[in-house]
Amino acid sequence: MKSRDTEGLFELYVTRTPGYLWALAFRRLGVHPITVTLASMVLGAVGGVLFYFSDPWVNVVGILLIVWANWFDCADGQLARMTNKKTLVGRILDGFAGDVWFFFIYLAIALRLTPDYGVWIWLLVLWAGFWCHARQCELADYYRNAHLYFIGAAAELGRSSEITRQYKSLGWKKGEWFEKLYLFFYASYVRSQEKAAPRLRMLLDNVGDNLQDISVNGLSADYRRESLRLMPMCRILTFDARVGVLFLSLLVGQPWIYPFAEITLFEALGIYMNYKHESFCSVLNLKYFNKQ
């Protein structure tokens, strides 16, 4: 784990621990982390496809495959750190794996419900997946990495300006084009995060690279105290709570509940989380840097 702050009890015991045990097994077997990631993609995609069928036992198999895929998704990163086999390709595939699962999940639900709801179910699913779900996960990822940064833990927290600079420094020649293409999309992703949370972006810009200073003057402690209250919301908006609603909707035979919950309950929680986070970042900008 990168930090206990960002992990709840459910994640720790139901997700992280089985993932760690898989990682230990894969290390003993000499399996590469990228192989684990690819296996996770396949398991999650097949699980999503099975949600097309109305047979509850087929859905149960799909649910078990999604859970299994998530264990592998946790295992690949831990395995990479254990074996020091960290690669750019692995990082890209790891971030892409969940997108593959949910693409097939949303597609299966839309196809399954089309005979009953027609084209309207596609509008609901597209809105839920490409707008609500994507933005919620994007924001939760930003807040969790910012929290890790302020407590001095390992954080994948880039700045769009720096990523763009790296992107422009590379050419399209052999040996650089793949990283350049990755940086292009990564810069767009981070830019979207920054646009959604401008006060947090301002706070990070004000801090710069002076992490030691903010630990001394109290900003780090102030940020952790306020951010820690929002971590449960971040956990809800990432994976476990979301698939909990998905699984429940399938088990009761009403899969429309899941995309509907995305655009109502989860979206409302995302808006509230964004408001609370921006509010305390504004206070910290004013208190420590006299800026708003």
Side-chain angles (χ1 to χ4, degrees):
M1 288 194 305
K2 295 179 180 178
S3 168
R4 188 67 177 81
D5 278 5
T6 57
E7 306 289 345
L9 290 176
F10 183 88
E11 290 170 306
L12 176 61
Y13 293 107
V14 179
T15 302
R16 297 296 179 189
T17 300
Y20 175 68
L21 295 175
W22 276 110
L24 291 176
F26 288 135
R27 181 177 64 175
R28 181 176 291 274
L29 294 171
V31 178
H32 196 281
I34 291 179
T35 303
V36 180
T37 304
L38 293 174
S40 168
M41 282 189 188
V42 173
L43 289 169
V46 173
V49 169
L50 294 182
F51 296 154
Y52 167 74
F53 303 95
S54 57
D55 186 326
W57 290 108
V58 174
N59 291 167
V60 168
V61 174
I63 288 171
L64 294 176
L65 288 176
I66 294 292
V67 172
W68 191 1
N70 191 44
W71 286 343
F72 277 18
D73 188 51
C74 292
D76 59 8
Q78 296 182 80
L79 179 63
R81 289 188 288 275
M82 286 178 184
T83 59
N84 199 30
K85 294 179 179 178
K86 303 175 185 177
T87 65
L88 178 60
V89 175
R91 183 179 178 186
I92 294 171
L93 290 176
D94 184 51
F96 187 56
D99 296 335
V100 172
W101 310 344
F102 278 99
F103 171 81
F104 284 99
I105 288 170
Y106 284 116
L107 179 63
I109 289 175
L111 289 171
R112 175 174 171 174
L113 296 176
T114 296
D116 295 324
Y117 298 97
V119 69
W120 299 107
I121 194 63
W122 287 90
L123 297 178
L124 176 68
V125 167
L126 288 172
W127 185 14
F130 287 97
W131 179 251
C132 299
H133 181 153
R135 288 173 55 255
Q136 293 158 15
C137 289
E138 187 178 88
L139 203 57
D141 178 59
Y142 195 32
Y143 290 158
R144 291 178 80 165
N145 275 298
H147 186 94
L148 293 172
Y149 168 77
F150 276 100
I151 66 173
E156 296 176 0
L157 188 65
R159 289 178 174 81
S160 62
S161 56
E162 176 61 23
I163 299 167
T164 301
R165 186 194 64 77
Q166 295 175 28
Y167 161 77
K168 291 181 177 178
S169 69
L170 298 175
W172 291 106
K173 59 187 178 180
K174 183 178 180 181
E176 293 185 352
W177 70 269
F178 186 77
E179 183 176 1
K180 186 177 179 71
L181 187 64
Y182 161 72
L183 290 173
F184 173 80
F185 288 107
Y186 185 40
S188 177
Y189 175 77
V190 173
R191 197 176 297 114
S192 180
Q193 290 178 316
E194 293 172 343
K195 184 177 180 181
R199 300 301 178 189
L200 172 57
R201 183 196 63 195
M202 179 185 292
L203 184 62
L204 291 168
D205 287 342
N206 287 332
V207 171
D209 297 321
N210 301 316
L211 188 58
Q212 186 63 36
D213 292 341
I214 68 171
S215 299
V216 172
N217 67 17
L219 173 55
S220 182
D222 281 351
Y223 184 94
R224 179 180 182 272
R225 183 181 63 253
E226 298 296 331
S227 176
L228 197 57
R229 298 169 182 170
L230 301 182
M231 284 300 104
M233 298 183 196
C234 287
R235 290 194 287 270
I236 290 172
L237 292 175
T238 48
F239 182 80
D240 295 326
R242 174 171 275 113
V243 296
V245 174
L246 167 66
F247 294 166
L248 181 62
S249 72
L250 292 164
L251 292 175
V252 300
Q254 300 295 330
W256 63 267
I257 292 175
Y258 170 63
F260 183 75
E262 284 279 14
I263 66 175
T264 54
L265 299 178
F266 289 115
E267 184 67 5
L269 182 61
I271 292 170
Y272 177 75
M273 179 182 69
N274 182 228
Y275 167 75
K276 295 295 289 185
H277 204 286
E278 286 292 278
S279 296
F280 84 70
C281 283
S282 182
V283 171
L284 294 179
N285 276 313
L286 183 61
K287 178 179 178 179
Y288 288 96
F289 303 103
N290 198 29
K291 295 180 181 180
Q292 283 187 306

